[in-house]
Amino acid sequence: MKVSIVLPTLNEEEGIGITIDSIKKEEFKKRGWDLEILVVDGNSTDRTVEIAKKKGAKVIIEPRKGYGRAYKTGLKEADGDIIVTGDADGTYPFDKVHEYIDLMVKENLDFITTNRFAGLSKKAMSFKHKVGNLILSLTLRLLYGINIKDSQSGMWIIRKKALEKIKPLEEFHDGMPFSEEIKIEMFKNKEIKAKEIPSCLYERRGEAKLQSWKDGWENFKYLIKYKFRG
């Protein structure tokens, strides 16, 4: 089995090395899994690409802007039977990824999303970011009947075959709403076995790119628009 870890980056020189180093490669070897680390970079002007390559990652430059755009490119280019996603800023628990994949295999799951609120480090998320996330997650539950606690989590474990059962990736949003959109598509598809699991979030390395109110409002509007699309 091959596992691809897809990391979108934009000026993440402080976090990319730590993120890649946190992956417990010895656990992958122990299980006989091949590992591909794929960095989708949005034309960083710092040392992100240089560090990623030194750490053994394959780097794809994606000049088109957007969080969703980076994932649409990365998910398409990944060779793994299982794909793991997450930010390259040191916040997501890549040190636990092998355990999440073990769970996917054991329970024969197709899609896992992680609940960061189950283990938030003290400075991992600002108060307004936390409130915004809770509002968005509640909105998703009410509108779509999907019982997840963290609609904006960016760490997912995906069987590549599951991507063939949802709409084409190019039809997804290019921006931040991609995160909630892929969860809606996975959880609402009756052919896909999806689950949210408890996870955690560490303190960020480097400067945050998220614009809390602007991105939060865009996500909120998209949840409503997507529900009533016709």
Side-chain angles (χ1 to χ4, degrees), residues 111-174:
F111 178 80
I112 290 175
T113 185
T114 56
N115 173 20
R116 299 168 296 171
F117 294 105
L120 275 181
S121 297
K122 279 188 177 181
K123 296 181 180 179
M125 190 181 292
S126 68
F127 177 73
K128 65 178 181 179
H129 191 179
K130 193 182 295 185
V131 170
N133 271 280
L134 291 172
I135 290 170
L136 289 169
S137 297
L138 175 61
T139 303
L140 186 142
R141 289 196 297 273
L142 291 173
L143 286 179
Y144 297 91
I146 300 171
N147 189 26
I148 58 176
K149 297 176 181 177
D150 186 1
S151 67
Q152 305 304 308
S153 173
M155 177 168 268
W156 322 306
I157 298 88
I158 310 166
R159 285 193 191 271
K160 192 162 189 180
K161 287 185 178 179
L163 294 173
E164 299 170 4
K165 299 177 181 179
I166 59 174
K167 68 180 185 179
L169 285 170
E170 287 302 321
E171 294 181 13
F172 279 76
H173 198 283
D174 276 349

Side-chain angles (χ1 to χ4, degrees), residues 25-220:
K25 300 175 184 68
E26 67 277 7
E27 294 292 342
F28 283 72
K29 288 179 182 177
K30 192 187 299 182
R31 291 161 172 77
W33 300 340
D34 292 327
L35 175 63
E36 172 188 53
I37 300 172
L38 185 61
V39 168
V40 184
D41 188 75
N43 272 330
S44 291
T45 55
D46 63 3
R47 295 178 58 242
T48 299
V49 170
E50 176 191 341
I51 295 169
K53 287 181 177 178
K54 281 185 178 179
K55 296 291 182 181
K58 176 184 175 183
V59 177
I60 296 173
I61 303 299
E62 175 49 271
R64 292 170 290 181
K65 293 183 179 181
Y67 174 87
R69 179 65 261 170
Y71 273 128
K72 286 156 69 169
T73 297
L75 292 175
K76 183 176 66 175
E77 294 294 329
D79 290 330
D81 306 292
I82 289 177
I83 304 170
V84 181
T85 68
D87 295 347
D89 56 11
T91 55
Y92 282 98
F94 283 98
D95 55 322
K96 296 179 173 62
V97 157
H98 58 283
E99 297 174 6
Y100 299 162
I101 298 171
D102 282 340
L103 178 67
M104 169 170 273
V105 173
K106 180 183 176 182
E107 298 191 9
N108 195 29
L109 300 170
D110 299 300
F111 178 80
I112 290 175
T113 185
T114 56
N115 173 20
R116 299 168 296 171
F117 294 105
L120 275 181
S121 297
K122 279 188 177 181
K123 296 181 180 179
M125 190 181 292
S126 68
F127 177 73
K128 65 178 181 179
H129 191 179
K130 193 182 295 185
V131 170
N133 271 280
L134 291 172
I135 290 170
L136 289 169
S137 297
L138 175 61
T139 303
L140 186 142
R141 289 196 297 273
L142 291 173
L143 286 179
Y144 297 91
I146 300 171
N147 189 26
I148 58 176
K149 297 176 181 177
D150 186 1
S151 67
Q152 305 304 308
S153 173
M155 177 168 268
W156 322 306
I157 298 88
I158 310 166
R159 285 193 191 271
K160 192 162 189 180
K161 287 185 178 179
L163 294 173
E164 299 170 4
K165 299 177 181 179
I166 59 174
K167 68 180 185 179
L169 285 170
E170 287 302 321
E171 294 181 13
F172 279 76
H173 198 283
D174 276 349
M176 293 302 296
F178 181 92
S179 181
E180 55 200 19
E181 188 176 3
I182 196 165
K183 296 178 184 73
I184 293 166
E185 288 293 310
M186 290 291 183
F187 276 86
K188 297 301 284 185
N189 190 309
K190 293 179 181 178
E191 296 180 26
I192 292 172
K193 192 175 180 183
K195 184 176 185 177
E196 181 183 56
I197 63 170
S199 185
C200 55
L201 194 71
Y202 306 134
E203 188 175 352
R204 193 189 203 289
R205 304 296 184 103
E207 185 181 347
K209 311 294 187 304
L210 183 71
Q211 301 176 57
S212 297
W213 294 119
K214 179 178 177 294
D215 290 328
W217 179 239
E218 183 181 16
N219 286 340
F220 182 77

